[in-house]
Amino acid sequence: MSPRRNRQHGGAKPIDRAGGDRYGLERTEDWRGEDWVVRQVGGGGAAKHYRCPGCDQEIPPGVPHVVAWPQDGDVDDRRHWHRACWNARDRRSARLQRSRNAPRY
């Protein structure tokens, strides 16, 4: 006798209760006396290269990360951070100096 299969074959699709898009829920955090909107981006939602302001390293496509921006800011104020860098933002400096030949994303 073969093992029982509990998978549905066809029929209705499961309901996505997370909002239906590829981005996570937004939350507000206080940082440097300002309210910041923070959103978790999963690996499927990361389609471009970004530069993390916490470590000045590149975030390649497909890597989960955090997007943060001031609550009263606009689209140009969004910054993409590694999750660990965002969690350690008080211990890291955002004023890193790049070498002359480093790309400026």
Side-chain angles (χ1 to χ4, degrees):
M1 179 182 272
S2 62
R4 181 178 170 181
R5 295 184 186 195
N6 290 328
R7 291 180 280 157
Q8 292 181 355
H9 296 284
K13 299 285 183 191
I15 299 170
D16 182 12
R17 300 192 189 276
D21 60 3
R22 61 187 178 191
Y23 302 111
L25 298 174
E26 294 178 0
R27 65 182 186 276
T28 305
E29 293 185 20
D30 183 53
W31 183 44
R32 294 185 179 171
E34 210 175 343
D35 285 334
W36 286 68
V37 179
V38 180
R39 179 188 295 160
Q40 300 283 336
V41 177
K48 295 179 6 183
H49 288 272
Y50 299 103
R51 177 131 340 241
C52 175
C55 65
D56 201 39
Q57 299 295 313
E58 195 172 86
I59 303 172
V63 173
H65 60 277
V66 173
V67 180
W69 64 94
Q71 190 170 23
D72 57 345
D74 60 354
V75 175
D76 294 333
D77 294 331
R78 290 187 298 189
R79 296 293 174 258
H80 296 255
W81 296 69
H82 292 105
R83 287 181 182 170
C85 295
W86 176 254
N87 292 335
R89 64 191 178 273
D90 292 328
R91 297 186 304 268
R92 296 184 181 207
S93 171
R95 304 263 187 243
L96 298 174
Q97 294 182 355
R98 297 186 187 112
S99 66
R100 285 187 192 183
N101 297 327
R104 301 209 177 256
Y105 311 105

XYZ file of all heavy atoms in Angstrom:
853
model
N 0.844 -1.167 0.000
C 0.000 0.000 0.000
C 0.901 1.245 0.000
O 1.880 1.316 0.722
C -0.889 -0.021 1.245
C -1.779 1.169 1.347
S -2.759 1.165 2.833
C -4.146 0.245 2.264
N 0.569 2.230 -0.791
C 1.357 3.460 -0.851
C 0.910 4.419 0.250
O -0.230 4.343 0.721
C 1.202 4.118 -2.221
O -0.136 4.480 -2.424
N 1.792 5.357 0.634
C 1.423 6.299 1.698
C 0.316 7.246 1.241
O 0.164 7.527 0.057
C 2.719 7.049 1.982
C 3.594 6.800 0.837
C 3.160 5.542 0.186
N -0.425 7.723 2.189
C -1.531 8.637 1.909
C -0.991 10.007 1.509
O -0.047 10.510 2.097
C -2.380 8.764 3.163
C -3.556 9.651 2.986
C -4.352 9.665 4.252
N -5.347 10.711 4.149
C -6.202 10.996 5.097
N -6.168 10.312 6.214
N -7.072 11.949 4.948
N -1.611 10.602 0.548
C -1.238 11.952 0.119
C -2.285 12.932 0.602
O -3.466 12.774 0.324
C -1.138 12.024 -1.397
C -0.033 11.181 -1.929
C 0.067 11.361 -3.397
N 1.070 10.424 -3.913
C 1.598 10.500 -5.098
N 1.226 11.448 -5.917
N 2.487 9.634 -5.482
N -1.836 13.972 1.281
C -2.757 14.968 1.817
C -2.785 16.245 0.978
O -3.297 17.254 1.419
C -2.380 15.320 3.257
C -2.666 14.188 4.202
O -3.607 13.433 3.989
N -1.856 14.050 5.227
N -2.215 16.193 -0.192
C -2.200 17.371 -1.052
C -3.491 17.478 -1.843
O -4.063 16.473 -2.237
C -1.031 17.301 -2.032
C 0.310 17.442 -1.363
C 1.395 17.369 -2.381
N 1.599 15.937 -2.672
C 2.134 15.464 -3.773
N 2.528 16.282 -4.713
N 2.292 14.173 -3.963
N -3.891 18.703 -2.105
C -5.060 18.921 -2.949
C -4.632 18.845 -4.397
O -3.581 19.359 -4.774
C -5.662 20.292 -2.677
C -6.282 20.429 -1.319
C -6.877 21.816 -1.126
O -6.730 22.688 -1.972
N -7.539 22.005 0.000
N -5.424 18.236 -5.202
C -5.140 18.151 -6.636
C -6.114 19.054 -7.368
O -7.280 18.730 -7.528
C -5.275 16.710 -7.128
C -4.280 15.795 -6.499
N -2.965 15.776 -6.878
C -4.401 14.894 -5.495
C -2.312 14.886 -6.166
N -3.166 14.339 -5.299
N -5.626 20.230 -7.785
C -6.506 21.171 -8.475
C -7.423 21.868 -7.493
O -7.148 21.984 -6.312
N -8.547 22.336 -7.991
C -9.525 22.967 -7.108
C -9.150 24.396 -6.760
O -8.433 25.075 -7.485
N -9.618 24.850 -5.625
C -9.398 26.238 -5.206
C -7.958 26.454 -4.750
O -7.331 25.578 -4.172
C -10.357 26.585 -4.078
N -7.463 27.618 -5.023
C -6.124 28.013 -4.590
C -6.176 28.447 -3.132
O -7.182 28.980 -2.678
C -5.604 29.187 -5.440
C -5.496 28.865 -6.905
C -4.313 27.997 -7.164
C -4.181 27.753 -8.650
N -3.249 26.746 -8.981
N -5.085 28.253 -2.382
C -5.082 28.730 -0.991
C -5.175 30.251 -0.941
O -4.678 30.949 -1.815
C -3.747 28.239 -0.441
C -2.959 27.763 -1.587
C -3.880 27.563 -2.745
N -5.803 30.761 0.090
C -5.991 32.203 0.252
C -4.745 32.798 0.885
O -4.250 32.315 1.900
C -7.222 32.493 1.123
C -8.469 31.926 0.443
C -7.377 33.976 1.373
C -9.692 31.946 1.330
N -4.233 33.871 0.263
C -3.071 34.569 0.804
C -3.566 35.639 1.754
O -4.128 36.635 1.335
C -2.250 35.181 -0.330
C -0.997 35.881 0.158
O -0.644 35.713 1.341
O -0.370 36.591 -0.646
N -3.362 35.448 3.050
C -3.849 36.393 4.040
C -2.810 37.450 4.410
O -3.056 38.267 5.276
C -4.281 35.651 5.297
C -5.388 34.668 5.016
C -5.984 34.157 6.303
N -6.902 33.068 6.043
C -8.167 33.210 5.711
N -8.663 34.410 5.578
N -8.939 32.163 5.503
N -1.664 37.447 3.728
C -0.606 38.396 4.065
C -0.730 39.693 3.285
O 0.162 40.511 3.312
C 0.749 37.772 3.791
N -1.802 39.894 2.570
C -1.965 41.149 1.847
C -1.833 40.961 0.354
O -2.159 41.841 -0.410
N -1.314 39.825 -0.100
C -1.290 39.537 -1.514
C -0.119 40.086 -2.281
O 0.006 39.821 -3.458
N 0.755 40.865 -1.690
C 1.907 41.345 -2.441
C 3.180 40.754 -1.876
O 3.175 40.064 -0.878
C 1.964 42.873 -2.488
C 2.065 43.506 -1.122
O 2.153 42.760 -0.136
O 2.062 44.731 -1.045
N 4.280 41.023 -2.523
C 5.531 40.371 -2.142
C 6.260 41.087 -1.004
O 7.298 40.638 -0.571
C 6.437 40.280 -3.367
C 6.797 41.624 -3.942
C 7.545 41.483 -5.230
N 7.815 42.822 -5.741
C 8.252 43.075 -6.924
N 8.489 42.110 -7.744
N 8.474 44.299 -7.318
N 5.756 42.212 -0.547
C 6.400 42.958 0.525
C 5.745 42.650 1.858
O 4.564 42.355 1.934
C 6.338 44.461 0.249
C 6.975 44.834 -1.059
C 6.217 45.287 -2.112
C 8.333 44.678 -1.247
C 6.804 45.614 -3.316
C 8.928 45.001 -2.446
C 8.149 45.469 -3.477
O 8.725 45.776 -4.664
N 6.526 42.773 2.918
C 5.995 42.506 4.241
C 5.198 43.677 4.771
O 5.025 44.706 4.120
N 4.718 43.519 5.975
C 3.951 44.571 6.620
C 4.872 45.688 7.077
O 6.014 45.451 7.465
C 3.190 44.002 7.807
C 2.163 42.924 7.480
C 1.594 42.352 8.769
C 1.071 43.490 6.612
N 4.360 46.887 7.070
C 5.136 48.040 7.526
C 4.944 48.224 9.021
O 3.881 47.943 9.557
C 4.683 49.300 6.798
C 4.975 49.280 5.334
C 4.460 50.526 4.640
O 3.877 51.406 5.302
O 4.645 50.611 3.422
N 5.994 48.689 9.666
C 5.907 49.047 11.075
C 6.672 50.358 11.259
O 7.425 50.766 10.395
C 6.473 47.940 11.960
C 7.945 47.691 11.802
C 8.407 46.528 12.687
N 9.842 46.399 12.631
C 10.515 45.742 11.701
N 9.859 45.155 10.718
N 11.821 45.657 11.717
N 6.462 51.004 12.368
C 7.125 52.276 12.654
C 8.084 52.079 13.815
O 7.729 51.478 14.827
C 6.088 53.352 13.012
O 5.133 53.442 11.950
C 6.747 54.699 13.183
N 9.309 52.572 13.639
C 10.321 52.499 14.696
C 10.903 53.888 14.916
O 10.986 54.687 13.996
C 11.446 51.541 14.296
C 11.030 50.105 14.199
C 12.203 49.185 13.929
O 13.357 49.579 14.175
O 11.956 48.071 13.472
N 11.315 54.155 16.146
C 11.954 55.420 16.483
C 13.460 55.263 16.342
O 14.050 54.320 16.888
C 11.594 55.817 17.916
C 12.180 57.158 18.276
O 11.943 58.125 17.529
O 12.891 57.228 19.292
N 14.093 56.166 15.590
C 15.542 56.150 15.436
C 16.024 57.579 15.268
O 15.517 58.328 14.444
C 15.948 55.308 14.226
C 17.421 55.173 14.030
C 18.356 54.918 14.981
C 18.137 55.285 12.815
N 19.602 54.849 14.434
C 19.498 55.076 13.093
C 17.774 55.547 11.504
C 20.490 55.123 12.111
C 18.752 55.583 10.528
C 20.098 55.368 10.844
N 16.994 57.960 16.093
C 17.560 59.315 16.085
C 16.485 60.388 16.272
O 16.514 61.435 15.627
C 18.339 59.570 14.800
C 19.569 58.729 14.663
C 20.350 59.114 13.430
N 21.553 58.313 13.329
C 22.336 58.304 12.271
N 22.052 59.049 11.235
N 23.403 57.557 12.249
N 15.521 60.093 17.134
C 14.478 61.062 17.438
C 13.461 61.256 16.332
O 12.708 62.223 16.347
N 13.406 60.344 15.386
C 12.516 60.456 14.249
C 11.770 59.132 14.075
O 12.313 58.070 14.361
C 13.375 60.713 12.999
C 12.708 61.508 11.943
C 13.656 61.823 10.785
O 14.881 61.715 10.920
O 13.120 62.156 9.745
N 10.533 59.181 13.612
C 9.802 57.957 13.312
C 10.153 57.481 11.915
O 10.108 58.251 10.944
C 8.289 58.193 13.405
C 7.810 58.294 14.834
O 8.473 57.718 15.716
O 6.769 58.933 15.069
N 10.533 56.195 11.809
C 10.897 55.592 10.533
C 9.921 54.477 10.205
O 9.551 53.691 11.064
C 12.311 55.012 10.599
C 13.365 56.063 10.584
C 13.634 56.965 11.560
C 14.294 56.335 9.536
N 14.675 57.772 11.190
C 15.095 57.405 9.948
C 14.522 55.758 8.284
C 16.118 57.920 9.151
C 15.531 56.272 7.499
C 16.314 57.349 7.929
N 9.521 54.397 8.960
C 8.697 53.299 8.475
C 9.657 52.212 8.009
O 10.595 52.471 7.254
C 7.786 53.742 7.316
C 6.951 52.583 6.816
C 6.918 54.898 7.755
N 9.446 50.980 8.473
C 10.344 49.864 8.177
C 9.524 48.753 7.543
O 8.459 48.397 8.038
C 11.023 49.355 9.469
C 11.949 48.206 9.172
C 11.770 50.480 10.151
N 10.029 48.221 6.439
C 9.357 47.130 5.737
C 10.366 46.027 5.438
O 11.451 46.306 4.931
C 8.756 47.645 4.435
C 8.052 46.557 3.635
C 7.632 47.029 2.276
N 6.632 48.077 2.381
C 6.365 48.933 1.401
N 7.030 48.888 0.280
N 5.437 49.847 1.552
N 10.003 44.784 5.738
C 10.839 43.632 5.409
C 10.568 43.259 3.954
O 9.417 43.162 3.550
C 10.480 42.444 6.304
C 10.655 42.695 7.774
C 12.100 42.635 8.207
O 12.938 42.019 7.579
N 12.396 43.293 9.306
N 11.627 43.058 3.176
C 11.493 42.631 1.786
C 12.060 41.228 1.685
O 13.201 40.982 2.074
C 12.247 43.587 0.831
C 12.154 43.088 -0.594
C 11.698 44.989 0.948
N 11.262 40.306 1.188
C 11.712 38.931 1.024
C 12.615 38.791 -0.188
O 12.768 39.711 -1.002
N 13.214 37.639 -0.331
C 14.122 37.401 -1.442
C 13.449 37.517 -2.795
O 14.057 37.971 -3.766
N 12.170 37.135 -2.893
C 11.454 37.235 -4.155
C 11.134 38.666 -4.532
O 10.921 38.972 -5.708
N 11.097 39.568 -3.568
C 10.775 40.963 -3.837
C 11.994 41.821 -4.120
O 11.872 42.970 -4.520
N 13.181 41.265 -3.929
C 14.414 42.027 -4.144
C 14.910 41.756 -5.565
O 15.432 40.697 -5.847
C 15.471 41.621 -3.121
N 14.712 42.709 -6.463
C 15.021 42.490 -7.870
C 16.212 43.298 -8.370
O 16.652 43.093 -9.498
C 13.795 42.826 -8.713
N 16.737 44.206 -7.581
C 17.837 45.062 -8.033
C 18.997 45.002 -7.043
O 18.873 44.484 -5.951
C 17.369 46.520 -8.130
C 16.327 46.743 -9.177
C 15.818 48.162 -9.306
C 16.463 49.224 -8.496
N 15.876 50.549 -8.634
N 20.114 45.593 -7.437
C 21.261 45.760 -6.536
C 21.043 47.034 -5.725
O 20.620 48.056 -6.257
C 22.566 45.906 -7.324
C 23.021 44.639 -7.957
N 23.809 43.727 -7.308
C 22.792 44.125 -9.178
C 24.059 42.714 -8.096
N 23.450 42.924 -9.252
N 21.322 46.953 -4.439
C 21.234 48.116 -3.548
C 22.516 48.197 -2.748
O 23.228 47.223 -2.585
C 20.046 47.991 -2.586
C 18.714 47.903 -3.272
C 18.052 46.689 -3.387
C 18.111 49.027 -3.814
C 16.823 46.591 -4.016
C 16.888 48.945 -4.448
C 16.254 47.729 -4.543
O 15.040 47.638 -5.174
N 22.808 49.388 -2.208
C 23.968 49.571 -1.347
C 23.474 49.856 0.056
O 22.732 50.804 0.288
C 24.828 50.712 -1.861
C 25.977 50.973 -0.953
C 27.348 51.087 -1.520
N 27.674 50.573 -2.786
C 28.590 49.624 -2.986
N 29.194 49.074 -1.956
N 28.908 49.230 -4.183
N 23.895 49.027 1.011
C 23.481 49.168 2.400
C 24.218 50.347 3.042
O 25.449 50.391 3.017
C 23.786 47.874 3.152
S 23.447 47.954 4.913
N 23.505 51.308 3.638
C 24.193 52.433 4.293
C 24.863 52.043 5.598
O 25.704 52.785 6.097
C 23.081 53.449 4.528
C 21.834 52.658 4.526
C 22.058 51.468 3.645
N 24.533 50.887 6.164
C 25.129 50.467 7.428
C 26.528 49.929 7.278
O 27.409 50.193 8.086
N 26.757 49.138 6.200
C 28.074 48.523 6.010
C 28.718 48.928 4.698
O 29.854 48.550 4.421
C 27.943 46.996 6.066
S 26.968 46.291 4.723
N 28.010 49.680 3.867
C 28.499 50.144 2.572
C 28.810 48.975 1.631
O 29.657 49.090 0.766
C 29.715 51.060 2.741
C 29.925 51.933 1.514
O 28.922 52.393 0.947
O 31.084 52.126 1.117
N 28.132 47.853 1.815
C 28.285 46.703 0.936
C 27.041 46.575 0.063
O 25.976 47.081 0.396
C 28.485 45.415 1.744
C 29.707 45.424 2.618
C 30.987 45.493 1.795
O 31.144 44.760 0.844
N 31.876 46.385 2.180
N 27.198 45.863 -1.039
C 26.104 45.690 -1.974
C 25.128 44.613 -1.486
O 25.534 43.602 -0.928
C 26.683 45.286 -3.323
C 25.728 45.415 -4.453
C 26.443 45.187 -5.763
O 26.558 44.016 -6.156
O 26.879 46.172 -6.375
N 23.839 44.848 -1.716
C 22.801 43.849 -1.467
C 22.393 43.320 -2.838
O 21.756 44.039 -3.608
C 21.585 44.451 -0.744
C 21.989 45.102 0.568
C 20.522 43.388 -0.522
C 20.885 45.882 1.238
N 22.770 42.089 -3.179
C 22.448 41.578 -4.515
C 20.970 41.206 -4.633
O 20.273 41.050 -3.628
C 23.344 40.342 -4.641
C 23.701 39.956 -3.277
C 23.615 41.187 -2.422
N 20.477 41.046 -5.863
C 19.077 40.631 -6.054
C 18.823 39.266 -5.416
O 19.691 38.401 -5.398
C 18.925 40.540 -7.570
C 20.042 41.333 -8.131
C 21.148 41.300 -7.134
N 17.636 39.091 -4.885
C 17.251 37.826 -4.286
C 17.605 37.671 -2.825
O 17.319 36.637 -2.230
N 18.210 38.686 -2.213
C 18.588 38.609 -0.800
C 17.548 39.372 0.030
O 17.263 40.542 -0.240
C 19.994 39.219 -0.572
C 20.329 39.293 0.900
C 21.034 38.421 -1.320
N 16.947 38.720 1.035
C 15.999 39.438 1.897
C 16.692 40.575 2.636
O 17.840 40.447 3.056
C 15.529 38.367 2.886
C 15.972 37.074 2.338
C 17.111 37.328 1.419
N 16.005 41.708 2.764
C 16.587 42.863 3.442
C 15.472 43.748 3.986
O 14.305 43.379 3.945
C 17.522 43.639 2.505
C 16.852 44.173 1.273
N 16.635 43.412 0.147
C 16.358 45.401 0.992
C 16.042 44.149 -0.766
N 15.852 45.365 -0.285
N 15.831 44.912 4.501
C 14.904 45.855 5.121
C 14.931 47.151 4.337
O 16.002 47.623 3.935
C 15.330 46.135 6.590
C 14.490 47.225 7.205
C 15.252 44.869 7.411
N 13.761 47.728 4.108
C 13.669 49.058 3.508
C 13.153 49.995 4.597
O 12.154 49.701 5.254
C 12.715 49.073 2.298
C 12.635 50.457 1.698
C 13.169 48.073 1.254
N 13.842 51.111 4.800
C 13.451 52.064 5.845
C 13.487 53.476 5.289
O 14.349 53.804 4.473
C 14.394 51.946 7.042
N 12.549 54.311 5.725
C 12.513 55.703 5.330
C 11.816 56.507 6.410
O 11.022 55.963 7.176
C 11.812 55.874 3.977
C 10.371 55.500 3.943
C 9.305 56.331 4.115
C 9.815 54.198 3.728
N 8.133 55.623 4.020
C 8.419 54.314 3.780
C 10.373 52.941 3.501
C 7.568 53.236 3.610
C 9.523 51.865 3.335
C 8.145 52.011 3.378
N 12.144 57.806 6.521
C 11.470 58.646 7.523
C 9.969 58.696 7.246
O 9.542 58.691 6.087
C 12.100 60.026 7.338
C 13.373 59.778 6.616
C 13.180 58.551 5.805
N 9.173 58.735 8.297
C 7.722 58.684 8.141
C 7.201 59.861 7.326
O 6.269 59.717 6.561
C 7.053 58.645 9.500
C 5.578 58.347 9.427
C 4.983 58.081 10.786
O 5.523 58.506 11.798
N 3.881 57.382 10.825
N 7.827 61.011 7.469
C 7.382 62.177 6.697
C 8.219 62.377 5.433
O 8.145 63.417 4.796
C 7.412 63.424 7.570
C 8.793 63.688 8.161
O 9.636 62.774 8.120
O 9.017 64.797 8.663
N 8.990 61.368 5.034
C 9.828 61.459 3.838
C 9.075 61.013 2.597
O 7.905 60.649 2.637
N 9.772 61.037 1.476
C 9.163 60.595 0.224
C 9.935 59.409 -0.335
O 10.774 58.816 0.341
C 9.088 61.744 -0.779
C 10.445 62.327 -1.128
O 11.439 61.927 -0.512
O 10.516 63.176 -2.035
N 9.684 59.051 -1.558
C 10.273 57.865 -2.184
C 11.796 57.956 -2.255
O 12.498 56.954 -2.104
C 9.677 57.675 -3.597
C 10.333 56.533 -4.327
C 8.189 57.457 -3.512
N 12.322 59.141 -2.451
C 13.776 59.312 -2.567
C 14.509 59.101 -1.245
O 15.724 58.939 -1.242
C 14.106 60.704 -3.101
C 13.627 60.894 -4.530
O 13.531 59.879 -5.253
O 13.351 62.045 -4.919
N 13.795 59.094 -0.128
C 14.423 58.921 1.180
C 14.533 57.460 1.607
O 15.075 57.173 2.662
C 13.627 59.683 2.251
C 13.678 61.183 2.028
O 14.676 61.663 1.463
O 12.712 61.862 2.410
N 14.009 56.530 0.796
C 14.073 55.107 1.160
C 15.502 54.602 1.081
O 16.243 54.947 0.168
C 13.203 54.267 0.229
C 11.739 54.480 0.439
C 10.957 53.522 -0.379
N 11.221 53.726 -1.804
C 10.556 53.144 -2.780
N 9.598 52.305 -2.505
N 10.859 53.396 -4.027
N 15.878 53.773 2.054
C 17.198 53.151 2.084
C 17.030 51.664 2.303
O 16.206 51.234 3.106
C 18.073 53.741 3.198
C 18.393 55.208 3.008
C 19.292 55.408 1.788
N 19.504 56.813 1.504
C 18.884 57.496 0.549
N 18.010 56.890 -0.214
N 19.146 58.760 0.348
N 17.818 50.874 1.604
C 17.776 49.419 1.704
C 18.943 48.961 2.567
O 20.092 49.254 2.264
C 17.866 48.803 0.300
C 16.685 49.156 -0.558
N 15.694 48.262 -0.840
C 16.335 50.310 -1.179
C 14.786 48.845 -1.601
N 15.160 50.078 -1.813
N 18.655 48.245 3.645
C 19.630 47.806 4.630
C 19.640 46.287 4.703
O 18.596 45.647 4.539
C 19.243 48.295 6.019
C 19.231 49.769 6.256
C 18.370 50.682 5.748
C 20.103 50.498 7.118
N 18.644 51.932 6.236
C 19.711 51.836 7.078
C 21.166 50.128 7.934
C 20.342 52.824 7.807
C 21.798 51.110 8.665
C 21.398 52.444 8.597
N 20.795 45.705 5.015
C 20.817 44.305 5.447
C 20.062 44.249 6.769
O 20.093 45.207 7.552
C 22.256 43.813 5.693
C 23.073 43.717 4.462
N 24.058 44.634 4.161
C 23.065 42.805 3.456
C 24.624 44.277 3.027
N 24.035 43.178 2.572
N 19.410 43.139 7.063
C 18.668 43.032 8.323
C 19.579 43.198 9.529
O 19.249 43.887 10.498
C 17.960 41.685 8.406
C 16.779 41.591 7.482
C 16.088 40.261 7.614
N 14.990 40.200 6.663
C 14.325 39.115 6.397
N 14.616 37.989 7.013
N 13.341 39.133 5.528
N 20.756 42.587 9.485
C 21.690 42.707 10.610
C 22.189 44.137 10.761
O 22.371 44.624 11.885
C 22.862 41.753 10.420
N 22.403 44.818 9.658
C 22.870 46.214 9.734
C 21.785 47.126 10.309
O 22.084 48.036 11.082
C 23.285 46.698 8.354
S 24.711 45.842 7.679
N 20.533 46.884 9.923
C 19.440 47.692 10.486
C 19.322 47.457 11.984
O 19.138 48.388 12.755
C 18.124 47.381 9.786
C 16.972 48.115 10.382
C 15.997 47.613 11.172
C 16.705 49.525 10.271
N 15.120 48.604 11.554
C 15.537 49.791 11.016
C 17.333 50.586 9.615
C 14.989 51.065 11.112
C 16.787 51.850 9.718
C 15.626 52.089 10.468
N 19.466 46.212 12.417
C 19.378 45.917 13.850
C 20.548 46.498 14.627
O 20.427 46.781 15.819
C 19.298 44.407 14.071
C 18.002 43.829 13.560
O 16.996 44.526 13.457
N 18.024 42.558 13.219
N 21.693 46.696 13.985
C 22.882 47.238 14.640
C 23.128 48.694 14.243
O 24.238 49.191 14.393
C 24.099 46.390 14.267
N 22.115 49.389 13.772
C 22.302 50.747 13.235
C 22.819 51.747 14.257
O 23.480 52.706 13.899
C 21.009 51.249 12.610
C 19.881 51.409 13.598
C 18.559 51.638 12.874
N 17.455 51.747 13.799
C 16.764 50.734 14.275
N 17.072 49.516 13.919
N 15.770 50.924 15.110
N 22.540 51.524 15.544
C 23.046 52.442 16.566
C 24.525 52.230 16.846
O 25.186 53.104 17.396
C 22.251 52.289 17.856
C 20.817 52.780 17.688
O 20.606 53.727 16.898
O 19.919 52.216 18.329
N 25.040 51.069 16.489
C 26.457 50.768 16.714
C 27.308 50.990 15.468
O 28.504 50.809 15.500
C 26.603 49.308 17.151
C 25.920 49.009 18.454
C 26.207 47.611 18.941
N 25.873 46.554 18.000
C 24.707 45.918 17.955
N 23.754 46.259 18.795
N 24.504 44.951 17.098
N 26.670 51.351 14.362
C 27.409 51.531 13.108
C 27.270 52.956 12.634
O 26.288 53.630 12.886
C 26.864 50.589 12.036
C 27.079 49.156 12.398
C 26.627 48.285 11.289
N 26.834 46.899 11.704
C 27.042 45.922 10.881
N 27.065 46.141 9.599
N 27.226 44.709 11.326
N 28.239 53.388 11.891
C 28.222 54.738 11.354
C 27.748 54.702 9.904
O 28.159 53.859 9.124
C 29.629 55.330 11.413
O 29.669 56.541 10.721
N 26.898 55.632 9.542
C 26.454 55.744 8.156
C 27.357 56.675 7.365
O 27.110 56.953 6.213
C 25.015 56.248 8.112
N 28.393 57.165 7.973
C 29.301 58.106 7.326
C 30.599 57.430 6.891
O 31.687 57.918 7.144
C 29.629 59.247 8.280
C 28.409 59.954 8.799
C 28.138 61.190 7.976
N 27.061 61.965 8.565
C 25.915 62.175 7.948
N 25.700 61.674 6.777
N 24.982 62.897 8.516
N 30.486 56.304 6.256
C 31.673 55.588 5.785
C 32.243 56.282 4.562
O 31.508 56.800 3.729
C 31.311 54.146 5.425
C 30.797 53.297 6.571
C 30.348 51.962 6.033
C 31.872 53.100 7.606
N 33.555 56.285 4.461
C 34.200 56.882 3.302
C 34.593 55.782 2.329
O 35.210 54.800 2.700
C 35.428 57.668 3.721
C 35.088 58.871 4.564
C 36.325 59.658 4.925
O 37.442 59.260 4.625
N 36.130 60.788 5.564
N 34.235 55.989 1.078
C 34.565 55.020 0.047
C 35.894 55.388 -0.583
O 36.333 56.531 -0.553
C 33.494 55.023 -1.034
C 32.157 54.615 -0.544
C 31.215 54.504 -1.728
N 29.880 54.262 -1.244
C 28.886 55.133 -1.352
N 29.069 56.273 -1.947
N 27.713 54.836 -0.871
N 36.526 54.393 -1.187
C 37.751 54.686 -1.935
C 37.390 55.428 -3.218
O 36.227 55.530 -3.603
C 38.486 53.387 -2.258
O 37.714 52.602 -3.140
N 38.370 55.929 -3.918
C 38.098 56.708 -5.126
C 37.388 55.916 -6.214
O 36.562 56.445 -6.931
C 39.407 57.225 -5.721
C 39.991 58.342 -4.967
C 41.168 58.874 -5.710
N 41.897 59.770 -4.851
C 42.950 60.438 -5.217
N 43.427 60.291 -6.419
N 43.544 61.238 -4.369
N 37.717 54.645 -6.346
C 37.160 53.862 -7.436
C 35.902 53.082 -7.049
O 35.419 52.305 -7.849
C 38.218 52.878 -7.938
C 39.412 53.601 -8.509
O 39.249 54.674 -9.087
N 40.597 53.057 -8.343
N 35.397 53.275 -5.861
C 34.204 52.539 -5.423
C 32.973 53.064 -6.150
O 32.834 54.279 -6.357
C 34.018 52.679 -3.925
N 32.058 52.183 -6.548
C 30.832 52.649 -7.199
C 29.950 53.414 -6.228
O 29.978 53.150 -5.027
C 30.156 51.364 -7.666
C 30.741 50.296 -6.834
C 32.117 50.739 -6.443
N 29.205 54.363 -6.717
C 28.336 55.199 -5.877
C 26.879 54.912 -6.186
O 26.223 55.677 -6.871
C 28.636 56.660 -6.101
C 30.048 57.017 -5.794
C 30.105 58.459 -5.341
N 31.469 58.771 -4.976
C 31.881 58.862 -3.744
N 31.056 58.664 -2.770
N 33.131 59.152 -3.472
N 26.325 53.821 -5.682
C 24.905 53.546 -5.851
C 24.187 54.222 -4.712
O 24.425 53.978 -3.618
C 24.555 52.063 -5.767
C 25.375 51.135 -6.574
C 26.311 50.341 -5.973
C 25.182 51.019 -7.924
C 27.041 49.446 -6.700
C 25.900 50.132 -8.660
C 26.836 49.339 -8.044
O 27.539 48.453 -8.774
